[in-house]
Every structure is written in structure tokens, then in C-alpha cells.
Amino acid sequence: MQTNDNRQLYLDMQEHPERYTAPELEAMMDELDREPDVEEAWQRFEATHHTSKTSSRRWLKIAAMFVGVILMAGIALAAIHLVSTKRMAPAAVEVQPLKQEPSSPVQFDNVPLDSVLSVVAAHYRKVVLFRDEAPRHMKLIMTWQSDAPLGDFLDRLNAFDGLSLRLQGDTIFVETTTGEEDKP
């Protein structure tokens, strides 16, 4: 409260110096010229606050650095995992030699197209080349007669919308179609 009174008195002295005597003005100026001892105030503040907070802040900084390192390591591992899974070729399908009678059918039940074609192409001694990645993972449910001509099997697959298979030499080319080529 006394501080507000001093401020009010100081402002009043500035605005109306004629109301005050020279000794009163001089006393007020002396009081204003006095500078507080900042060093002493800082030491008092440090003694009561700084020491306990310093150790807790140090631990907080260490914990934050530890969390940051773990977070960065996790992000790096996730990135490595994503890159390695994208670069990996689809899992190789183990092709069992067909020990069936020539006319017995082979049933594919929810099998990816690339696996179906790897079995069929191995039987006919052909190579499969996917020009697009999309059809590679199509799942098929179908029956294949191993003694039927390869052309018949490819014609059956070509009946699926958006899929085009073509035999050129020893290579079966696989690509997606938009369906517009088939329209007259």
C-alpha cells in the first residue's frame, strides 16, 4: 500500500512542483535515486527456490532426452521395417511336383494370382511377367486341368474384369485393363 502512496506522491510532485518545498523535493529525489541491491535479492531468491528446482529440472531434462532417443529409435526401426517389406518380393510359393493322374484337376482356393501362375507356368515351362502390381495379389478360386492347353487356361483368366494375360513365346504377360479396350 505504501508503494502506491509513494507513486501517487511522486506523480503529484512531477505535475505540481510548486506545492512542495525544496527539501521535500530533494528528499523524494534521494529516495528515488536509491537502487535496490539486485545481487542480494538474487541470492535470497536462489537460496529459497533454485536448489530444489535445479535437481528436478535436471532429471526432467534427462528423462526428456531418454524419451526422445527411444522415440527416434522407434521411428527409425519402423522406417526400416516398411522399406524392407516394400523391397521384399512376394513370398515364394513352394511348388510341389504334380503326382496326380494327368486328368485330375488342381483346385486353387483363395490363392493369389502370382502363386497360381507360378504353378501353372512351371508346369508348362513358361515365365510370368507382371507389368502391373495390382493383379499380382488378386485372390482366385478356380480349378485347373493340368492336361488342358495353356491357352484355354489363359482364356479363362482373361474372362475376369480388369485382367489381361497374353502368351508371347515362353513368357506370360499379365497386366490390368480398364475395360475400354473390349468395348466396340
Side-chain angles (χ1 to χ4, degrees):
M1 192 69 157
Q2 187 177 6
T3 308
N4 286 339
D5 291 341
N6 285 347
R7 284 186 194 157
Q8 191 62 32
L9 180 63
Y10 174 69
L11 290 173
D12 191 50
M13 285 182 152
Q14 282 183 327
E15 291 177 10
H16 306 287
E18 68 278 356
R19 294 182 187 169
Y20 300 94
T21 64
E24 286 176 328
L25 288 172
E26 233 176 88
M28 181 55 81
M29 294 304 284
D30 286 344
E31 191 172 315
L32 290 174
D33 284 343
R34 225 182 302 149
E35 291 182 20
D37 187 4
V38 176
E39 188 62 35
E40 180 186 329
W42 180 253
Q43 286 174 357
R44 273 188 279 135
F45 175 80
E46 244 185 358
T48 57
H49 296 90
H50 195 321
T51 55
S52 63
K53 287 186 179 180
T54 303
S55 61
S56 65
R57 283 188 183 153
R58 186 178 315 134
W59 284 109
L60 284 175
K61 286 180 182 178
I62 291 171
M65 286 189 291
F66 185 69
V67 168
V69 167
I70 289 175
L71 181 65
M72 293 304 291
I75 291 171
L77 286 174
I80 290 169
H81 178 72
L82 285 174
V83 168
S84 66
T85 56
K86 288 226 180 227
R87 286 188 182 170
M88 286 176 37
V93 176
E94 188 174 321
V95 179
Q96 298 291 331
L98 296 175
K99 296 180 181 175
Q100 302 172 349
E101 296 178 21
S103 63
S104 63
V106 176
Q107 181 67 36
F108 296 105
D109 187 14
N110 205 23
V111 179
L113 178 62
D114 64 345
S115 300
V116 171
L117 288 178
S118 67
V119 171
V120 173
H123 176 74
Y124 292 105
R125 292 189 175 98
K126 304 293 180 191
V127 177
V128 178
L129 178 67
F130 284 87
R131 292 195 171 176
D132 302 318
E133 285 297 312
R136 181 181 298 270
H137 305 289
M138 287 177 58
K139 302 260 178 142
L140 301 177
I141 299 174
M142 65 183 308
T143 305
W144 168 55
Q145 291 284 358
S146 60
D147 59 350
L150 176 60
D152 292 350
F153 180 74
L154 295 179
D155 289 342
R156 285 180 52 209
L157 288 176
N158 280 327
F160 288 101
D161 284 339
L163 189 61
S164 172
L165 288 94
R166 189 170 34 88
L167 178 64
Q168 272 187 333
D170 289 337
T171 306
I172 302 171
F173 292 95
V174 183
E175 58 190 348
T176 55
T177 60
T178 59
E180 295 176 11
E181 298 89 20
D182 299 334
K183 295 181 182 175

